[in-house]
Amino acid sequence: MRYFIWFSYDGTAYHGWQTQPNGVTVQSELERCLSLLLRQQVSVTGAGRTDTGVHARQMAAHFDIGQLPMSVQDLAHKLNGLLPQDIAVDRIELVADNTSSDVTQLPHARFSAISRTYHYYVHTHKDPFLRHYSLELHYQLDYDLMNEAGRILMEYDDFGAFCKAGSDVKTTLCHVTHAQWHQTSPTSWYFEITANRFLRNMVRAVVGTLIEVGRGRMTLAEFREVIEGGRRTQAGESMPAKALFLERVEYPLNSQLLTLNS
């Protein structure tokens, strides 16, 4: 049987989502606690990977196991009691009661997802309550111009210029469907971007490049040249991880899987 687990986490203390040989990760903590509760080794597959220090307001993962020894509600409750305080389970759902050996037909946390949405937060006024989850900037930005650049992103499908050098990826193609800055107060904004998939470090590199545009250090024509050139060295710097949140993962409407926000 295949179960989906919906959860959130503060990524500050973790070396990203994916299990690492020499660091504590969100995946390793989730697998450790599930294995203890279910008294067998449990492996989970996430909807994607987040880098060291990146947070998630909504993440999805699946795991395969036989009949649970308790209800999914009880499992979620006990899991929350065992997990660290910076990881919280919202719910667990049975998505496939299927004994078929053809696992490719089962709902998959990663491959069944149709989009992911990230937010990157910035602010310009010193605020002790934002320091861990938003980037404090000390210069003015032209957000209208940055939104023009954001619309340019949706004209392209190859984002190699924003992929971390040395990443083991088979393709740098992504379909971006939304890219826009939103103001939330006189001194705070966030950048929202949605795509079917993201490359390693892509959002932070996009934000860094958009900030170059917003500061007047890169024209819109030069922004296009960066995308078309496909060279990471021509794009802006990668911005700090602490201000980046995976906001939601979405699945087909006709699927058994629904987003937390739906």
Side-chain angles (χ1 to χ4, degrees), residues 2-4 6 91-98 105-108 112 250-260 262:
R2 177 159 293 181
Y3 294 86
F4 260 58
W6 300 86
R91 69 186 189 274
I92 300 173
E93 299 173 322
L94 173 64
V95 297
D97 184 0
N98 191 336
Q105 300 303 311
L106 301 181
H108 193 284
S112 297
E250 295 180 287
Y251 294 89
L253 290 177
N254 61 353
S255 168
Q256 298 178 58
L257 310 175
L258 300 175
T259 66
L260 190 61
S262 61

Side-chain angles (χ1 to χ4, degrees), residues 41-238:
Q41 189 61 42
V42 178
S43 297
V44 299
T45 299
R49 302 174 185 176
T50 54
D51 293 334
T52 299
V54 176
H55 320 290
R57 294 193 201 278
Q58 182 207 77
M59 178 63 141
H62 76 252
F63 61 94
D64 295 326
I65 195 173
Q67 185 69 43
L68 286 178
M70 63 190 82
S71 70
V72 290
Q73 292 82 6
D74 284 345
L75 178 58
H77 176 73
K78 291 183 178 182
L79 195 54
N80 272 327
L82 193 59
L83 283 165
Q85 289 297 308
D86 48 15
I87 304 175
V89 173
D90 176 71
R91 69 186 189 274
I92 300 173
E93 299 173 322
L94 173 64
V95 297
D97 184 0
N98 191 336
T99 57
S100 169
S101 60
D102 186 7
V103 296
T104 62
Q105 300 303 311
L106 301 181
H108 193 284
R110 179 183 174 191
F111 298 126
S112 297
I114 58 174
S115 72
R116 288 93 171 157
T117 296
Y118 282 89
H119 287 182
Y120 194 92
Y121 294 85
V122 302
H123 62 285
T124 56
H125 181 75
K126 185 177 181 181
D127 187 329
F129 303 107
L130 293 179
R131 71 190 190 280
H132 295 308
Y133 306 107
S134 177
L135 178 64
E136 186 175 336
L137 301 175
H138 300 284
Y139 39 76
Q140 294 297 314
L141 294 173
D142 186 335
Y143 288 93
D144 290 334
L145 191 61
M146 290 195 295
N147 276 334
E148 287 189 51
R151 288 190 286 273
I152 289 173
L153 289 171
M154 292 182 281
E155 299 176 19
Y156 293 88
D157 56 13
D158 192 329
F159 295 97
F162 305 116
C163 183
K164 186 172 183 178
S167 295
D168 181 21
V169 293
K170 295 180 180 179
T171 176
T172 53
L173 300 180
C174 306
H175 180 52
V176 175
T177 55
H178 182 80
Q180 185 176 2
W181 288 90
H182 301 272
Q183 186 170 10
T184 55
S185 81
T187 59
S188 60
W189 294 260
Y190 68 88
F191 176 63
E192 181 175 49
I193 184 168
T194 301
N196 64 326
R197 64 187 291 265
F198 286 92
L199 307 172
R200 187 180 179 188
N201 209 230
M202 176 175 163
V203 180
R204 289 190 284 149
V206 166
V207 171
T209 312
L210 289 175
I211 285 177
E212 290 293 290
V213 173
R215 296 183 70 181
R217 298 165 64 168
M218 180 183 294
T219 66
L220 294 178
E222 289 170 336
F223 184 74
R224 285 185 181 275
E225 291 174 3
V226 167
I227 300 173
E228 293 171 1
R231 296 171 58 190
R232 179 66 188 91
T233 54
Q234 300 303 309
E237 67 176 303
S238 176

